[in-house]
Structure formats: C-alpha cells, structure tokens
Amino acid sequence: MEVTKSASRKLKRKNTLIAWSFIAPNFIGFLIFTLVPVVFSLILAFMKWDSFSTPEFVGLQNFTRMLSDDTFWISLKNTFLYTIGVVPLTLICSLGLAILLNQKIKGVKFFRTAFFFPYVTSLVAIAVVWSMLFHPTMGPINQFLRVVIENPPGWLSSSDWALTAIIIVSVWRGMGYYMILYLAGLQGISKELYEAAAMDGANKWKQFIHITVPALRPTTFFVTIMLVINCFKIFDLVQVMTDGGPGRATNVLVYQVYSEAFVKFNFGYASAIAMVLFVIVLVITVIQFKWNQIREKV
C-alpha cells in the first residue's frame, strides 16, 4: 500500500514538472516582456525621469499636468473620433463581405484570400502606398474625384481630412480579418432556420434581422471588443502616414506616449498617459461585457 502511494506521488510530481516545463517558456516571456514593463511603467507614472538622471518621485504631478495639456485632450479626442469612425464601419464592411462571400459563387476562395491579404501585408508598405493614393494633386483618388467635384479634399495634407484618411485605410486593412471571423459564425448557423423562415413567408431582410444578427451576436461582441482595443492602440499608421499632423490633427494617445517618451524624453509623463489609456480601455471593455450580459438576459 505504501509503495503504491509513493509511486502515485512520484507520478503526480513528474506530471506537474512536465506541465510546468510546457508553461514555463511562455510564462517567463510574459514575465520579462509584459508584466515587468507594465509594473515598471506604473511606478514610473509617479516619477520624473529623462533616462539620464536619477528618477525623482513627483506623486500625482504627471496626472495633474494632463488637465492643462492641450495636446493630451486633442489626442484623447482624436482617439475617440478614430474609434467611433473605425468600429462601426469595419463591422458593417466585414459583415457585408462575409455574407457576400458565404454564397456559392465562382472564385469565392480567391476573393476571400484577396480581402484577407491586406491584413497580413506589411503595414508600412500599406501606409506608403495609401499616402501616394491620397496625394492631393497627383494621387489617383483626387484625380477621380475631380470628375465629380471641383475641389477634392487635401486628405493627408488637410487638418480636416487627415484623420478621415487614416480611418479609411484602417477599415480597408482590417475588414478582411474580421470577415473571416464572421464567415466562421455564418457557417455555424443552421440552414434549416432559413428554410423554415422562408416557408413562413419571411423575406431576406427579415431573415437577416431575426436569424443572422441574433446568431452572430457572440461573434459581433468579440469583434467589437477587439476593434475597440486595437483602435485605442493605433500608432503605426499615424506614424508613417502623417507623423501626428498636419498640426495635431491625427495626434492620438499612443502617438503622444511615443512622442513624450522617445522624442522629449519625459518618460514619467509618458507612463502616466499610458496608465490613463489603460484605464480608459479597461472601463470601456468592462462596460461592453456588462452590456453584453444584459443583452443575453433579454
């Protein structure tokens, strides 16, 4: 009996070690590259540090500085405007593409691949190409628009249209990825539901409203969460296409964090902005989860 218990303990210990050997590499990577920097950034938010001198504790000074920082409020407004523009447009475009490419049409696999391809293409390359397309005088977009209107927008050179241009590129790049998620959701809906609805006299629009939309609610919830988080992290497109300009028209929160930290070397203030950004994203995500729970109970 004792021998059996001893062997059982050894087997359990061996299985535990094997499990930890699989978990350890990912956990160590998370610890070094994510957890430690996040904790350090949280501490640094209450410090004044330029990476050359000794960090100086300043309490809430970095956070109170934001209240009178015009650039912070402009960046916050631009981030919200970008999110409000990208999220619904991407949802509509990706769902529309998914419904269209869920049909049995010739070359459907090619079109699915073509729409997904921008998501895996180098974002720098995408930004450079779109910058050329949006050129106010030589770009093909404005050359086409001149046929319709006399004075087309200046796009990236205009403070009124630069953020709109960034939104257009973001929607174009991301809709293919979320289209794949919606395709998976659509293919999980039983065709018998549509057949029964058709027999009851429901047209395509009523089938979409009463069958497709409710069945895709979990997918839409996931896509919305991911879109909102990604929108608040927007940086690369802004950096390559507009560098935050013209003026501060496309200055977003993550770009300001970058600017304060690696251009002005205000690492404490940059960390404070990053913490505020984290809290905003956390609050919005919690609200979305609560709203989804309420919707599921209805």
Side-chain angles (χ1 to χ4, degrees):
M1 190 71 176
E2 290 294 330
V3 175
T4 304
K5 287 184 178 180
S6 176
S8 177
R9 283 195 296 268
K10 286 181 179 180
L11 180 61
K12 186 176 180 181
R13 197 178 304 118
K14 180 181 178 181
N15 290 337
T16 302
L17 289 173
I18 292 173
W20 274 106
S21 68
F22 282 103
I23 296 173
N26 185 63
F27 180 76
I28 293 170
F30 169 78
L31 184 69
I32 296 173
F33 298 108
T34 303
L35 185 60
V36 171
V38 167
V39 173
F40 181 69
S41 179
L42 178 61
I43 297 171
L44 200 59
F46 301 93
M47 302 283 185
K48 182 180 180 181
W49 187 49
D50 59 3
S51 79
F52 303 107
S53 58
T54 304
E56 176 189 351
F57 181 76
V58 293
L60 297 175
Q61 182 177 319
N62 288 325
F63 294 95
T64 56
R65 177 182 168 183
M66 294 180 204
L67 299 176
S68 57
D69 185 358
D70 290 340
T71 302
F72 168 76
W73 292 108
I74 290 172
S75 301
L76 182 63
K77 183 191 75 172
N78 289 340
T79 303
F80 273 102
L81 288 175
Y82 173 82
T83 304
I84 292 170
V86 169
V87 173
L89 284 175
T90 305
L91 282 171
I92 293 170
C93 292
S94 56
L95 178 56
L97 283 174
I99 293 172
L100 182 64
L101 298 180
N102 194 41
Q103 311 298 319
K104 293 181 179 180
I105 57 177
K106 189 175 181 180
V108 65
K109 292 183 180 179
F110 167 78
F111 289 113
R112 289 176 182 175
T113 305
F115 282 110
F116 180 74
F117 185 72
Y119 189 80
V120 296
T121 305
S122 168
L123 194 138
V124 174
I126 288 173
V128 171
V129 171
W130 274 96
S131 296
M132 297 170 62
L133 294 175
F134 279 126
H135 194 280
T137 56
M138 302 174 62
I141 292 177
N142 273 7
Q143 289 181 4
F144 172 77
L145 289 177
R146 283 192 185 92
V147 178
V148 184
I149 56 178
E150 184 177 352
N151 295 312
W155 299 113
L156 300 178
S157 61
S158 168
S159 58
D160 295 327
W161 288 94
L163 190 61
T164 303
I166 299 291
I167 290 172
I168 292 171
V169 178
S170 298
V171 173
W172 174 83
R173 180 177 183 266
M175 64 183 182
Y177 171 73
Y178 298 108
M179 173 199 71
I180 298 297
L181 299 180
Y182 272 122
L183 271 173
L186 285 170
Q187 292 174 5
I189 303 175
S190 175
K191 293 181 179 179
E192 295 177 355
L193 294 173
Y194 293 104
E195 292 172 358
M199 291 178 65
D200 289 336
N203 57 29
K204 293 293 183 181
W205 175 249
K206 289 184 178 179
Q207 291 177 29
F208 173 75
I209 294 297
H210 297 290
I211 298 176
T212 306
V213 173
L216 290 177
R217 185 177 294 170
T219 305
T220 302
F221 172 67
F222 175 76
V223 169
T224 305
I225 290 286
M226 297 304 297
L227 274 171
V228 170
I229 293 174
N230 288 333
C231 283
F232 274 89
K233 296 193 304 179
I234 180 65
F235 168 76
D236 31 25
L237 275 179
V238 171
Q239 169 68 14
V240 178
M241 294 182 70
T242 62
D243 202 23
R248 293 177 290 184
T250 58
N251 209 90
V252 290
L253 282 176
V254 177
Y255 183 84
Q256 189 183 4
V257 171
Y258 160 79
S259 179
E260 293 290 343
F262 301 107
V263 177
K264 301 176 183 178
F265 297 101
N266 295 326
F267 287 97
Y269 187 50
S271 296
I273 297 173
M275 288 301 104
V276 170
L277 176 60
F278 168 76
V279 171
I280 292 172
V281 174
L282 180 63
V283 169
I284 292 175
T285 304
V286 169
I287 291 173
Q288 286 178 298
F289 270 96
K290 293 293 184 182
W291 174 252
N292 186 63
Q293 290 176 357
I294 294 172
R295 290 288 302 276
E296 287 181 346
K297 291 178 182 179
V298 176

